[in-house]
Amino acid sequence: MTPRFRGLRFAGLTSASLLLSLALAPAASAHEHVRVGEYEVSIGWMNEPTFVGQPNGVEITITDHDGEPVTDLPAGAVMVVVSTAGQRTQSMALVPGYNVASGFGTPGQYHAELVPTTPGEYTFRFSGVIHEVPVDVTVISGEDTFSSVRSSSDIEFPVKVPTLAEVATRLDRIDGRIEALQSNAPGADAMAAAQAANEAARSASAAADRALLVGAVLGGAGLVLAIGALAMVMRGGRRGTGTA
């Protein structure tokens, strides 16, 4: 095999591998593309696929009609509200992800950081202006747009750690049980009545103890008197016998 043929073969294999990797690559860079006036806006997550509990954020990339990135929008020119499962965030400002002075970042990119805490579909609603062009765009995650949020247990090994939502659910159940126990406990009136009954029982017991003490004293005194009387009777009998 000649060196030239080896080089052509290597180049062919490299190209084939690259094409195959692109064909099999997951939708990690999946973004929705929308037109806003003369601007093209690419919408998605900062990191895809997106997992519960992992730092992430909403990301847009803006280019003009010539395909040039728009890098001069101030922070907050475009705002976003993220919603899922009937809940939504406050309006968050998209800040530039590209530093013009240092050249760090991707030109035309803007983002708002977010940590998704529950799996499922997420909706991004954008508002604001791009160089005086109004922005009012709503995009829902999905196979044709951008990544829905997946449970982090899909990639955890070897131990599956419960998500924040699962921990919160368990705590809510424990709180519910505690409230149920508290609601079934006797009320203030019942507690007062029980305390009064306890005090009455103590008083009765004390009275009984006093009665027993008095009875014992009186019984002892009676016994002493009886013994004395018996002694007197016996002495009188002895005297009568002697006289006869």
Side-chain angles (χ1 to χ4, degrees):
M1 184 180 295
T2 64
R4 181 180 180 183
F5 183 76
R6 289 197 199 96
L8 291 174
R9 183 181 179 185
F10 177 77
L13 290 174
T14 303
S15 300
S17 299
L18 178 60
L19 291 173
L20 182 61
S21 63
L22 291 175
L24 297 179
S29 59
H31 280 56
E32 173 70 342
H33 298 273
V34 298
R35 294 284 300 182
V36 178
E38 63 182 60
Y39 299 99
E40 180 81 13
V41 182
S42 175
I43 299 169
W45 292 101
M46 292 173 63
N47 302 307
E48 296 185 4
T50 309
F51 294 96
V52 168
Q54 300 301 312
N56 214 311
V58 179
E59 177 186 273
I60 65 173
T61 303
I62 306 173
T63 56
D64 61 19
H65 61 280
D66 293 324
E68 294 297 322
V70 176
T71 61
D72 57 351
L73 293 183
V78 179
M79 309 289 288
V80 63
V81 173
V82 180
S83 60
T84 184
Q87 301 184 58
R88 64 179 186 178
T89 67
Q90 296 180 343
S91 186
M92 301 184 296
L94 291 165
V95 300
Y98 174 71
N99 188 305
V100 178
S102 65
F104 180 79
T106 302
Q109 208 169 77
Y110 301 82
H111 64 264
E113 295 182 350
L114 180 72
V115 179
T117 57
T118 185
E121 291 184 348
Y122 279 64
T123 300
F124 298 166
R125 181 174 183 180
F126 300 92
S127 60
V129 293
I130 301 175
H131 292 168
E132 300 183 356
V133 176
V135 177
D136 185 6
V137 175
T138 300
V139 184
I140 302 175
S141 67
E143 294 181 358
D144 300 326
T145 53
F146 57 92
S147 172
S148 293
V149 177
R150 296 165 54 185
S151 172
S152 56
S153 62
D154 295 342
I155 58 172
E156 290 175 344
F157 176 83
V159 179
K160 304 293 184 183
V161 180
T163 64
L164 293 176
E166 291 170 343
V167 172
T169 299
R170 294 177 187 178
L171 291 176
D172 288 342
R173 290 175 182 172
I174 294 173
D175 290 342
R177 292 174 184 173
I178 293 174
E179 291 176 0
L181 291 173
Q182 290 176 339
S183 64
N184 292 329
D189 294 340
M191 292 294 292
Q195 290 176 355
N198 186 42
E199 291 297 329
R202 289 182 180 179
S203 298
S205 178
D209 290 341
R210 288 194 297 271
L212 288 174
L213 179 60
V214 172
V217 171
L218 292 177
L223 181 61
V224 171
L225 291 174
I227 293 173
L230 180 61
M232 292 177 65
V233 170
M234 292 178 66
R235 283 198 298 270
R238 290 196 189 99
R239 289 174 186 172
T241 302
T243 304

